[in-house]
Amino acid sequence: MNDLAVQIEHISKKYDLGVINTGTFFRDMQTLIARKQGKPDPHAKIGDEYHDGQDSFWALKDVSLDIRQGDRVGIIGRNGAGKSTLLKLISRISAPTEGCIRINGRVASLLEVGTGFHKELTGRENIYLNGSILGMKKKIIDKKIDEIIDFSGIERHIDTPVKRYSSGMYVRLGFAVAAHLDSEILIADEVLAVGDIKFQQKAIGKMNSISSEQGRTVLFVSHNMQSVQALCNKGVILEKGRLTASGDIEDCVRKYHSVEDESNRSSWSGVEGDHNLSLLKAELIQNTNILELVITYEIHNPGLDYVFSILFYNKNNHRICFSSISDVSTDEQYEKLKSKGLHSIKLLIDSTLFATGEYHIEFDFAIHGYKRIVSPELKLFFEVFNTSNHRHSSENRLDAIEPSWKWKIIQ
């Protein structure tokens, strides 16, 4: 028990759409006091059936997990699997609806770009602010500040207000602070993907060294399996809010790929998304010169600025074109497609526009300017043999085309 950094016991997290907290100030205070004392939430119910209703959504369901000190744990799963929710619960940003989490040591979290920064303060001032939030004394931060600034690579702008920083600079500085201050547990979400490749490699190397040399625990979420394997020694797989596997990272990645490796599929059905929107079905029907893409999705949380785009890639994973239904629909039609309930849409694709070759599509269903909801790992594949021009798709350059897209609203 003494070597456990994090102990998770039967936690679940339910989001009540449109309902804030427990409903009363008194119950909120009881929950808060219980959390501060390390006790289970007195209002959590044990043994209830898990049902998603129209006004609720279970992001995690009965997850139990032990994480040992010094482990580097990769949390794997598709979008909407519950990865970010789990990290927020461990970081105590959010409280579980059911169950209990015990943490041995200080936690430094890097979950969203710029979290914990004051935009009017400079980068240097924000280092001291973040350090004090983590419980560090000023003299300790004084000793490490040069190292933090050097690692971030933004020395020239360190005395500039962070409101002028790009998202990449936010990430560099945020990671540098979190990695160099004395926290026993470091949590990093997919946010590292905002940085450039060199900095990602540098960050992974740093997390490796603080774990192996200092015995610190690292929890890491990424869709990039190479990064996960390079950093982590343990793995956890989440699927639709449930823990489906845990153990050695190589075994977990193998299990994940065995489920995800569907490189020839032209149709898919299931539930992919989050508590705002779910993709339920997608099918590519290939006729002589026309491809039909039929999509069914459900809006759970209307009123958001949703984007529905389809991205086309060649065999070498170069994007060649994309189509968004907002570009070809009227404002009235587009508002209807963002309303609550089930929707079906169809895209007609002239396949003679494509050179001979293999292609795939991805679903960029997102909240504009905020986040992508449908995972880029969900792909449908098709092949074109174009007898009209005998061209073959290039694997080394971008073959950009701008077709005249034809969308149809089915319901």
Side-chain angles (χ1 to χ4, degrees):
M1 182 71 71
N2 291 335
D3 66 341
L4 288 181
V6 181
Q7 187 176 23
I8 300 170
E9 296 180 348
H10 303 290
I11 63 163
S12 301
K13 180 63 178 179
K14 179 182 180 182
Y15 289 105
D16 292 321
L17 305 180
V19 178
I20 299 173
N21 299 328
T22 62
T24 71
F25 177 74
F26 178 69
R27 288 160 65 91
D28 288 346
M29 289 304 298
Q30 287 182 314
T31 297
L32 179 62
I33 291 168
R35 285 175 55 202
K36 292 291 187 183
Q37 295 175 343
K39 296 178 181 178
D41 184 348
H43 300 294
K45 297 178 181 178
I46 305 299
D48 281 355
E49 291 290 328
Y50 294 103
H51 294 297
D52 288 343
Q54 288 188 341
D55 300 318
S56 64
F57 172 79
W58 286 96
L60 289 174
K61 302 177 182 179
D62 194 28
V63 173
S64 294
L65 180 68
D66 288 342
I67 298 172
R68 303 199 174 277
Q69 292 176 358
D71 276 349
R72 303 179 302 280
V73 182
I75 301 174
I76 304 167
R78 301 176 73 165
N79 281 5
K83 305 184 301 297
S84 294
T85 300
L86 178 61
L87 295 190
K88 285 178 181 177
L89 296 183
I90 295 172
S91 302
R92 291 176 174 162
I93 293 171
S94 180
T97 306
E98 301 175 357
C100 183
I101 301 177
R102 295 184 178 88
I103 298 171
N104 180 21
R106 262 193 306 254
V107 177
S109 302
L110 190 63
L111 300 183
E112 294 179 10
V113 176
T115 300
F117 282 176
H118 191 297
K119 292 189 176 182
E120 298 298 329
L121 300 180
T122 66
R124 187 185 304 274
E125 290 166 337
N126 270 292
I127 292 174
Y128 283 94
L129 176 63
N130 269 248
S132 63
I133 290 171
L134 287 171
M136 306 299 297
K137 294 182 179 178
K138 183 178 180 297
K139 62 181 181 181
I140 297 177
I141 302 175
D142 287 339
K143 290 180 181 178
K144 298 192 176 185
I145 192 164
D146 290 339
E147 189 180 351
I148 292 170
I149 294 171
D150 180 63
F151 187 90
S152 71
I154 57 170
E155 299 95 332
R156 290 178 59 194
H157 308 285
I158 198 64
D159 292 309
T160 301
V162 299
K163 65 183 179 182
R164 298 197 178 96
Y165 284 11
S166 67
S167 57
M169 291 167 71
Y170 264 115
V171 170
R172 285 171 172 269
L173 186 59
F175 181 84
V177 174
H180 286 83
L181 297 182
D182 292 338
S183 58
E184 286 78 22
I185 301 166
L186 176 63
I187 296 177
D189 202 347
E190 187 71 43
V191 69
L192 278 182
V194 177
D196 57 68
I197 296 296
K198 263 188 178 178
F199 185 76
Q200 289 177 41
Q201 293 171 342
K202 187 177 179 181
I204 287 172
K206 180 64 177 178
M207 288 189 283
N208 246 323
S209 67
I210 65 176
S211 176
S212 57
E213 295 170 14
Q214 301 174 28
R216 292 162 68 181
T217 305
V218 176
L219 306 183
F220 182 56
V221 166
S222 176
H223 286 295
N224 186 328
M225 291 300 109
Q226 288 182 329
S227 296
V228 171
Q229 287 174 289
L231 170 64
C232 303
N233 64 332
K234 301 289 184 183
V236 169
I237 302 177
L238 289 175
E239 183 178 343
K240 296 178 182 177
R242 295 188 181 275
L243 180 68
T244 59
S246 64
D248 181 77
I249 187 61
E250 299 298 334
D251 291 340
C252 285
V253 170
R254 234 183 337 264
K255 288 175 185 176
Y256 182 66
H257 280 318
S258 69
V259 174
E260 294 297 311
D261 186 17
E262 299 175 359
S263 59
N264 293 313
R265 69 180 172 195
S266 59
S267 65
W268 173 89
S269 63
V271 179
E272 168 67 30
D274 64 7
H275 62 280
N276 296 303
L277 178 153
S278 295
L279 180 63
L280 303 176
K281 189 176 181 180
E283 183 178 16
L284 266 175
I285 304 165
Q286 193 158 5
N287 301 311
T288 306
N289 292 324
I290 297 291
L291 280 166
E292 292 185 18
L293 174 62
V294 182
I295 303 165
T296 301
Y297 66 93
E298 184 173 5
I299 298 288
H300 307 295
N301 189 14
L304 300 177
D305 188 8
Y306 290 108
V307 177
F308 311 103
S309 298
I310 305 300
L311 313 177
F312 291 79
Y313 293 83
N314 64 13
K315 188 177 180 181
N316 206 39
N317 210 35
H318 288 152
R319 198 175 91 181
I320 56 172
C321 57
F322 78 97
S323 176
S324 175
I325 195 168
S326 63
D327 296 335
V328 293
S329 61
T330 65
D331 290 344
E332 184 179 349
Q333 289 172 326
Y334 197 50
E335 287 305 312
K336 183 180 177 183
L337 292 173
K338 296 189 287 184
S339 63
K340 188 169 185 176
L342 283 172
H343 301 275
S344 291
I345 50 179
K346 180 191 289 186
L347 175 62
L348 300 179
I349 306 159
D350 183 355
S351 60
T352 63
L353 295 170
F354 293 83
T356 295
E358 298 174 9
Y359 301 88
H360 73 266
I361 65 170
E362 295 179 10
F363 301 85
D364 188 7
F365 282 29
I367 300 172
H368 181 67
Y370 177 56
K371 70 171 180 176
R372 185 169 177 171
I373 296 174
V374 175
S375 169
E377 293 171 18
L378 176 55
K379 300 175 174 66
L380 295 186
F381 296 79
F382 66 96
E383 188 170 358
V384 172
F385 181 69
N386 195 335
T387 57
S388 63
N389 57 34
H390 304 288
R391 290 186 300 114
H392 287 263
S393 67
S394 169
E395 296 186 4
N396 298 312
R397 64 181 177 84
L398 183 65
D399 286 329
I401 60 174
E402 295 185 3
S404 177
W405 300 102
K406 296 180 181 178
W407 284 89
K408 290 186 177 181
I409 299 173
I410 301 171
Q411 75 174 56

